[in-house]
Amino acid sequence: DAKTTQPNSMESNEEEPVHLPCNHSTISGTDYIHWYRQLPSQGPEYVIHGLTSNVNNRMASLAIAEDRKSSTLILHRATLRDAAVYYCILRGAQKLVFGQGTRLTINP
Amino acid sequence: NAGVTQTPKFRILKIGQSMTLQCTQDMNHNYMYWYRQDPGMGLKLIYYSVGAGITDKGEVPNGYNVSRSTTEDFPLRLELAAPSQTSVYFCASSYSLTGAFFGQGTRLTVV
C-alpha cells in the first residue's frame, strides 16, 4: 500500500478555515484519496474521497494537486466539534489501512 | 438505516475464554473489515472480506478468526483470549473502494 505523510498535530481557531495537508508521493494512478476522522471516544467517520478532481461535500472539501502527490482537506469554518484525529488514506487495493493521522485541536 | 451494528458494546473475558464479536450491516456493502484500537494508538486491520465466502488477513490477524457466510454479517472470533487482546474493536463496511462506514465499537477487556 502506498504511504501517506501527515503532520502529527495541528491547531486552529474556532470559526476559521483549516487546511490539513497530506503527502503521497508514491500514489499510483488508480489510488483513491480517502479522508476519515475519529472524534474522541468514537469510531472513525468517513469524511470525503476523490481521485483526481477536487471534491466538495457538506462536511469538507478535498483539494488534490495536479500531480496527485499531495492533497489537502479543507474544513471551511471549524467548530469545536471538529476536534479529532484526521486520517488521509490511499485506497487502491481491497484493504483499508490507517496511518497515525493528524490530531486537530480547535481553540475557542 | 441502522448502518453497521456491533454487539456487544462491552465485554469482560477471562484469560483462555473464547467469544465472538458480532458485526452486521444493512447497506448491502460487499467489503467488510475488522480493526482493533489499543488505548492512545491508531487502528490496526485484523481481517477483511471483499464478499461472502472470501476473507483475508490484515496487519494483525494472529489470535483471531473470521467468516463471511452472508453479505450482511462478518463475525470475529477470539479463541483463547489473552490480555494482549484487550482493545476496542471496530467493524466497518464499504461498497468496494468508496467510503467506509464504521460501527460504534466493542470494548473488550481480558483479565
Side-chain angles (χ1 to χ4, degrees):
Chain A
D1 296 314
K3 284 198 66 173
T4 63
T5 303
Q6 299 178 253
N8 288 334
S9 62
M10 289 183 63
E11 205 168 318
S12 187
N13 297 319
E14 200 175 9
E15 299 187 5
E16 290 183 357
V18 180
H19 290 234
L20 293 158
C22 182
N23 287 321
H24 28 79
S25 58
T26 60
I27 191 171
S28 75
T30 55
D31 285 340
Y32 283 84
I33 302 159
H34 281 235
W35 284 83
Y36 293 81
R37 72 180 186 180
Q38 188 172 21
L39 280 64
S41 301
Q42 293 194 27
E45 176 184 29
Y46 166 75
V47 177
I48 200 167
H49 78 282
L51 184 62
T52 56
S53 303
N54 295 344
V55 185
N56 300 298
N57 66 20
R58 63 176 181 81
M59 289 180 69
S61 295
L62 175 60
I64 301 172
E66 199 167 328
D67 63 5
R68 300 208 327 124
K69 294 186 176 182
S70 66
S71 61
T72 302
L73 180 71
I74 303 165
L75 308 178
H76 292 286
R77 196 164 167 267
T79 71
L80 296 177
R81 291 187 68 251
D82 291 321
V85 179
Y86 286 78
Y87 298 95
C88 169
I89 300 170
L90 297 184
R91 187 107 192 260
Q94 299 158 345
K95 291 189 281 188
L96 180 62
V97 177
F98 284 73
Q100 291 307 303
T102 296
R103 183 173 298 277
L104 177 65
T105 301
I106 304 295
N107 300 315
Chain B
N1 276 347
V4 179
T5 303
Q6 292 184 236
T7 55
K9 288 186 169 50
F10 303 93
R11 182 73 186 267
I12 298 174
L13 273 184
K14 294 185 178 177
I15 294 171
Q17 287 185 320
S18 300
M19 77 164 293
T20 299
L21 281 68
Q22 301 292 345
C23 176
T24 188
Q25 51 93 8
D26 63 358
M27 297 173 282
N28 202 31
H29 285 168
N30 51 347
Y31 287 20
M32 294 188 75
Y33 314 83
W34 273 106
Y35 296 87
R36 61 176 285 173
Q37 186 170 34
D38 297 340
M41 305 297 284
L43 290 102
K44 292 295 185 183
L45 180 64
I46 305 172
Y47 271 96
Y48 65 101
S49 167
V50 298
I54 306 169
T55 62
D56 210 343
K57 296 177 180 178
E59 303 171 279
V60 290
N62 290 346
Y64 306 94
N65 281 299
V66 292
S67 59
R68 184 97 183 268
S69 57
T70 67
T71 298
E72 296 78 18
D73 301 306
F74 191 39
L76 177 72
R77 178 85 177 158
L78 279 72
E79 305 281 2
L80 298 176
S84 61
Q85 292 179 304
T86 294
S87 192
V88 180
Y89 291 83
F90 291 103
C91 178
S93 73
S94 70
Y95 181 71
S96 295
L97 300 184
T98 60
F101 294 86
F102 285 76
Q104 287 304 301
T106 295
R107 187 175 298 275
L108 176 67
T109 302
V110 181
V111 295

